[in-house]
């Protein structure tokens, strides 16, 4: 609902008007000096006579030289005017305030307060102690939120922030807060979920229900690694269980079989192969368990391609695992495995 202005719009009345008149006709051909409101737009005009009696009117429509007006605006009094009295577009207090609050193009600085519903268009900058009350809408505001200005003084890529400092200490519904000095915490569902303190130590709180932490792996790598108390040795994370990889045919192990059992239930004699270190570089210390629970009286052949497979007596080469037998293969060097178990020959 913008307020309209034109420069030097000044003329006289073509006919006198009563104090309750809502239609004003100006001198012939002079209506074009005034704005042409449409929709919810309007302009303010000032009537004056020889005695300098002033009245501000609000014009909501113009047809040629005829203005449709609302009388007695901005504290002025509706008055009868004569033919030849003046009507002009002048700056008024309400018009200027409306222009700044509702239809300002430029940069507003300092301590500003916006109340009510505002449409923000174009590239809009708010600075200083700005208070925004009511509803804000418009493409300019949407673009600003999608690509906000930098925090910290460096212009970032669109949609990002730099150097964000968290100071709030109240647990938010879903967000980040400061639970103690130099301790960053995070929450969901208005519940504290974990912290990281000044030393970098992480604490993950127990969940309301279910598993506290799930680490998803990437194909060909382990899910996570742990460093021992020496601070120098890092090992792949293991399991509390021995996960089952069920097989019914010949099988070559893969990296993800580390720490698992190869559980064979087929009906024919097949070979279970551990590939060479050059093909699958299992870390030293890897353990693979092989179980022969075949559905027929058949044996398994356990083979290590190229690398050494050594049993408890020092013999090397392929091994045979009888039905119902169980063998454990432990990698002790990059190219050597030790095998032991029951039903093994």
């Amino acid at each position: 609902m913008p307020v309209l202005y034109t420069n030097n719009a000044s003329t006289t009345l073509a006919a006198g008007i009563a104090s309750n008149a809502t239609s004003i006709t100006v001198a012939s051909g002079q209506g074009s000096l005034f704005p042409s409101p449409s929709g919810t737009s309007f302009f303010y005009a000032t009537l004056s006579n020889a005695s300098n009696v002033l009245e501000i009117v609000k014009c909501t429509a113009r047809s040629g030289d005829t203005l449709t007006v609302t009388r007695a605006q901005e504290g002025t009094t509706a008055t009868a005017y004569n033919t030849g009295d003046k009507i002009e577009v002048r700056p008024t207090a309400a018009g200027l305030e409306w222009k700044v609050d509702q239809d300002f193009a430029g940069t507003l600085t300092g301590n500003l307060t916006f109340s009510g519903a505002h449409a923000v268009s174009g590239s809009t900058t708010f600075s200083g102690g700005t208070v925004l009350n009511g509803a804000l809408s418009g493409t300019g505001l949407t673009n600003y939120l999608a690509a906000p200005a930098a925090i910290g003084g460096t212009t970032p890529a669109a949609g990002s922030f730099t150097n964000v400092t968290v100071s709030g200490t109240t647990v938010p519904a879903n967000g980040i807060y400061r639970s103690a000095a130099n301790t960053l915490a995070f929450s969901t569902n208005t519940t504290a979920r974990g912290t990281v303190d000044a030393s970098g130590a992480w604490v993950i709180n127990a969940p309301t229900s279910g598993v506290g932490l799930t680490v998803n792996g990437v194909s060909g790598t382990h899910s996570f690694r742990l460093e021992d108390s020496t601070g120098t040795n890092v090992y792949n994370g293991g399991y509390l269980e021995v996960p089952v990889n069920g097989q019914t045919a010949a099988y070559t192990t893969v990296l993800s079989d580390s720490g698992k059992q190869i559980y064979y239930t087929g009906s024919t004699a097949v070979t279970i192969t551990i590939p060479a270190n050059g093909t699958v570089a299992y870390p030293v210390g890897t353990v693979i368990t092989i179980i022969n629970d075949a559905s027929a009286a058949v044996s398994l052949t356990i083979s290590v391609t190229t690398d050494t497979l050594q049993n408890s007596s020092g013999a090397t080469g392929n091994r045979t695992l009888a039905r119902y037998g169980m063998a454990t293969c432990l990698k002790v060097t990059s190219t050597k495995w030790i095998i032991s178990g029951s039903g093994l020959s």
Side-chain angles (χ1 to χ4, degrees), residues 31-237:
S32 60
L33 297 174
F34 295 82
S36 295
S38 62
T40 57
S41 64
F42 62 93
F43 67 89
Y44 290 109
T46 301
L47 291 161
S48 62
N49 59 20
S51 300
N52 201 33
V53 176
L54 304 177
E55 179 189 348
I56 297 174
V57 297
K58 179 180 180 181
C59 179
T60 56
R62 180 177 69 82
S63 177
D65 296 328
T66 302
L67 313 180
T68 300
V69 300
T70 302
R71 305 292 295 272
Q73 300 294 295
E74 299 188 48
T76 61
T77 301
T79 304
Y81 289 90
N82 299 318
T83 302
D85 287 341
K86 295 183 68 174
I87 183 168
E88 301 172 299
V89 173
R90 298 181 183 180
T92 70
L96 293 177
E97 289 173 0
W98 188 277
K99 204 65 176 173
V100 170
D101 286 346
Q102 302 287 337
D103 194 25
F104 182 82
T107 299
L108 301 178
T109 61
N111 298 323
L112 305 169
T113 300
F114 296 85
S115 299
H118 298 270
V120 181
S121 61
S123 178
T124 304
T125 300
F126 298 101
S127 61
T130 303
V131 178
L132 303 175
N133 298 319
L136 290 169
S137 63
T139 56
L141 181 65
T142 301
N143 293 338
Y144 180 81
L145 295 176
I151 296 177
T154 302
T155 302
S160 65
F161 292 93
T162 59
N163 301 332
V164 176
T165 298
V166 176
S167 59
T169 57
T170 302
V171 178
N174 299 283
I176 302 173
Y177 64 102
R178 188 166 57 87
S179 61
N182 300 314
T183 298
L184 196 64
F186 52 95
S187 66
T188 62
N189 198 27
T190 321
T191 303
R193 298 304 186 187
T195 60
V196 54
D197 65 17
S199 69
W202 284 81
V203 174
I204 299 177
N205 299 342
T208 307
S209 62
V211 178
L213 176 65
T214 299
V215 180
N216 295 321
V218 177
S219 178
T221 64
H222 291 280
S223 300
F224 70 100
R225 308 194 76 191
L226 298 173
E227 185 178 272
D228 66 14
S229 58
T230 67
T232 57
N233 300 314
V234 180
Y235 301 98
N236 293 319

Side-chain angles (χ1 to χ4, degrees), residues 262-275:
I262 309 303
Y263 181 58
Y264 179 75
T265 57
S267 60
T268 58
V270 298
T271 299
I272 305 298
T273 303
I274 298 176

